[in-house]
Structure formats: structure tokens, C-alpha cells
Amino acid sequence: VIRAGGEVPLGATDGEGGLQQIATARLVPIVDVARPQAPTGPTVVELPGRLEASARAPLFARVSGYIGKWTYDIGARVKAGDVLAEIEAPDLDQQLFQAQSDLATAQANEELSTVTNQRYQALLPNATVSRQAADEKASDLAAKRAIVRSQKANVARLEALAQYKRVVAPFDGVVTARNTDVGALINAGSAAGSELFVVSETSRLRLYVNVPQAFLAAIKPGTTARAAVPEHPGKSYTARVTAGAGAIDSATGTMRTQLEVDNARGELVPGSFATVHFEIPPATGTLTVPASAVIFDRSGLRVAVVSAEGAAEMRKITVARDLGNTVEVSTGVTAEDRVVLSPPDDLIDGDKVLVKGQSPDAPDTRRAGKRGS
């Protein structure tokens, strides 16, 4: 802001009235102004994002034992069903052998009980045996059959558990972590940090962006964007919005939004930072003003407008969207207003101002033309 006035030539004034006029003129601030503009096209909004694998599976041990061997290291591409490691579990092997022996014993007892029950039931019509004895043999047979079913279930459980001695890839992907080695003691469980391998599917990546509330109406599922990463300068990747969280985080005023990025070439890495460029169409019935023109104080959001008489007029505005260098305003200004850029802190409503490049004594031609019409 420049104050009007300059050097006073000798003899220009010889009274207190002339000096007061010069002092007053020097107090009038000189300001830059700009007309509010109608949006001419979409605005590019840059938001930070984070790339993640479309599928990520930490693989834990389901049986206890020792690592006998492993076959894939980090960075290796695997197919679903590929064996990543084998666990030696002698305790489990012996438990299975014991369960199979118990099943064989139960089956032998069942066979004997079956024959005995058949004999008693054949003698019952001739009253050779009592009804009580025959019923006891039938009940004993039912109990033996239940024991056989229980032993079969136990054998099936241990056989299924034995399948987990082989750690296999659940889907096609890349081994992104290996946290074990040959001879390592393995305890069954899924405690944090105890995973043996991590397999990630990286042919398609998920891109997560926190979208401010003001842009939610324009960024919907199906919207396309461009993503850029620091390791590939000058190159961008097409991303498509697939879903939103459906709720705004009260702490940040943003909604977590998910995009999908094709990574068939493997150029993008899960966990890396990305800059996402969205093209936001202009809001209906809005005008844009430079962000430097907006005043924020206890009276709210305002701009200073130079009236036809050369006075500052403070206008309350409604901001539709903050676009960084510019602000979309829905109410408070018109396309004919002259908005003050970087207004002085002490500027108040009704203060005289001088537009930069305009003579202090020059008439307002815009105002004069309206009067003449």
C-alpha cells in the first residue's frame, strides 16, 4: 500500500489550510484492485495421497515347529498355492499317529460291540437273554459308534492342521516381507510382528486421499484423476475414484476417499507418497477473487470494494471453495466491483482510497457514464 503525495515544491502553499490538504492527501492509501472473474473452466486441485496394495496378506504359522526350508525371498513374484516355506513339526506328527491308533482301537471295539449286539438281539425272541441285557448291548454299540465318530473327527482335525506345515501364497503377488530363516523356532499364532511372510498384490494399487469437504460434491465414484510420484518426475498415472468413507473426519474436515490405479508395469510401489490432481468444475453462480483480497477477522470473511466515490466498502462474502491462490465466492460481490488486493490492516468501511494509476483529482468515468445515461 502506497500513500498518495510526494515532495511539496517551495511556494506551492503558504497557509495552514494548504498544509492540511497535503497531509490529508498523503494519508489516503493507494491500492491495487481487480474485478471478480467468472470461472472459465475446471480448476486443478492437488491433494496428497498414499498408495497401498490392492490386497495384502500377512502369513502366520498355524503349527509350532522349526523352519525346514524357505523358497522365496522378498521381491519374488509368486502364484497362488506356491510353497513359501515348510515347517518341521514332529510333535504334530506324533499326535496324528496317536489319533490314528486311537481311531483303529475304537473301530475294533465297535466291530465287537456290533457282533455282540446282533447275537443278543437274535436270542431275545426265545427268552434266552433278558430284555435288560439286550438293551445294554444295543446301548453299548451306540456308544462305541459315537467314540469312532469322535476319533475320526480328531484325526481329520490333525490332518488338516498338518497341511499348515506348508506356508503357501494365498494369491498371485509379490513377497514384500520375509521374517524367518531356516532353523528358526516357530510358535503358532497371529501376534503382531510374528508373520513369516507378507504377500501383496501389486498389479492394481489403491490410492487413499483425504478430500476436503468443499470438494466432496465434485469428487464422486467414477471421477478420474492423475497421480504423480516423486521417483518418476514428469510422468502421471490415471486413477479412478472407487469409494468414499461415507463420513467426514471431525478432526480434519476431510473424507477418506479410495482410488484405483493400474500398476501392470510395476512402476508404482505400495506405501509410497503420491500427489493426486483433480479437475474440479466451477460451482454454479460463483465468482473468483484473489485469496489476498479476503479479510478474516471477528466480523467474518469480507472483502474491501472501492465505491464510485473512491471510498472503501467492506462486503461480507460467502466462500464456496478455497482454491489456494483464488477463492470462489457465491455471495457478496458482483462482476462490476473493484476488489482491493492486499487491503491495509487499518482499512475500515468508508475510508478514502486511491486506485493505483489513477490521479487523485481524476473523475470516476464509470460513475459519470452511468449518471449521463
Side-chain angles (χ1 to χ4, degrees):
V1 177
I2 305 173
R3 297 294 178 177
E7 294 294 335
V8 181
L10 294 175
T13 179
D14 54 359
E16 291 185 0
L19 292 175
Q20 184 176 4
Q21 290 178 0
I22 294 174
T24 302
R26 289 183 175 179
L27 292 176
V28 176
I30 299 177
V31 296
D32 283 329
V33 296
R35 305 279 187 184
Q37 301 293 321
T40 57
T43 302
V44 178
V45 176
E46 295 185 0
L47 297 174
R50 184 69 63 180
L51 289 165
E52 298 292 346
S54 59
R56 180 181 180 275
L59 304 181
F60 297 87
R62 287 284 288 115
V63 297
S64 299
Y66 295 88
I67 291 292
K69 68 175 182 178
W70 56 266
T71 52
Y72 292 97
D73 208 344
I74 59 173
R77 293 192 172 274
V78 295
K79 298 290 185 181
D82 285 350
V83 179
L84 305 181
E86 293 184 3
I87 301 174
E88 296 178 356
D91 292 347
L92 177 61
D93 295 339
Q94 293 304 313
Q95 290 175 14
L96 178 58
F97 179 75
Q98 180 182 359
Q100 291 170 340
S101 300
D102 292 342
L103 174 60
T105 301
Q107 289 174 333
N109 292 335
E110 179 193 14
E111 291 176 1
L112 177 60
S113 182
T114 300
V115 173
T116 303
N117 179 64
Q118 290 174 350
R119 290 171 179 171
Y120 268 70
Q121 297 302 324
L123 295 174
L124 181 61
N126 300 327
T128 305
V129 296
S130 65
R131 168 67 67 178
Q132 177 66 26
D135 290 343
E136 288 177 355
K137 297 305 177 182
S139 177
D140 182 67
L141 174 60
K144 294 297 192 298
R145 287 175 175 173
I147 293 174
V148 169
R149 290 195 296 269
S150 175
Q151 293 299 329
K152 285 182 177 180
N154 189 38
V155 170
R157 178 183 67 84
L158 292 173
E159 287 177 342
L161 197 58
Q163 297 297 320
Y164 290 101
K165 293 193 297 182
R166 302 165 65 249
V167 181
V168 300
F171 47 74
D172 296 354
V174 177
V175 178
T176 55
R178 177 181 65 83
N179 301 318
T180 189
D181 212 334
V182 174
L185 175 63
I186 302 300
N187 292 316
S190 58
S194 64
E195 62 268 15
L196 305 181
F197 295 87
V198 176
V199 177
S200 302
E201 204 286 303
T202 59
S203 62
R204 301 193 72 82
L205 298 181
R206 295 176 182 176
L207 177 57
Y208 291 100
V209 180
N210 292 326
V211 177
Q213 182 177 352
F215 302 130
L216 291 180
I219 302 177
K220 299 178 180 178
T223 303
T224 58
R226 305 294 296 176
V229 292
E231 60 267 30
H232 297 291
K235 189 172 184 179
S236 61
Y237 303 85
T238 301
R240 183 175 59 87
V241 177
T242 58
I248 295 176
D249 185 351
S250 59
T252 62
T254 61
M255 186 171 77
R256 187 172 174 83
T257 302
Q258 175 182 287
L259 297 87
E260 190 176 77
V261 184
D262 185 15
N263 190 37
R265 297 182 179 180
E267 296 179 351
L268 301 175
V269 181
S272 60
F273 169 83
T275 302
V276 187
H277 303 261
F278 292 96
E279 289 189 355
I280 307 298
T284 304
T286 60
L287 296 171
T288 61
V289 298
S292 62
V294 179
I295 303 170
F296 178 66
D297 54 21
R298 61 183 180 181
S299 299
L301 293 174
R302 300 182 298 166
V303 294
V305 176
V306 179
S307 67
E309 291 77 17
E313 181 182 342
M314 309 304 289
R315 300 265 192 91
K316 286 190 175 182
I317 60 172
T318 301
V319 175
R321 289 187 301 207
D322 185 351
L323 303 178
N325 293 330
T326 60
V327 175
E328 283 188 1
V329 178
S330 57
T331 61
V333 295
T334 66
E336 299 299 323
D337 289 329
R338 295 180 295 173
V339 177
V340 177
L341 304 179
S342 301
D345 294 337
D346 58 350
L347 187 65
I348 61 175
D349 196 26
D351 279 356
K352 289 293 184 179
V353 294
L354 181 64
V355 177
K356 188 176 181 180
Q358 178 181 343
S359 173
D361 299 326
D364 191 330
T365 55
R366 182 175 66 92
R367 184 68 176 177
K370 287 186 177 181
R371 288 177 177 176
S373 59

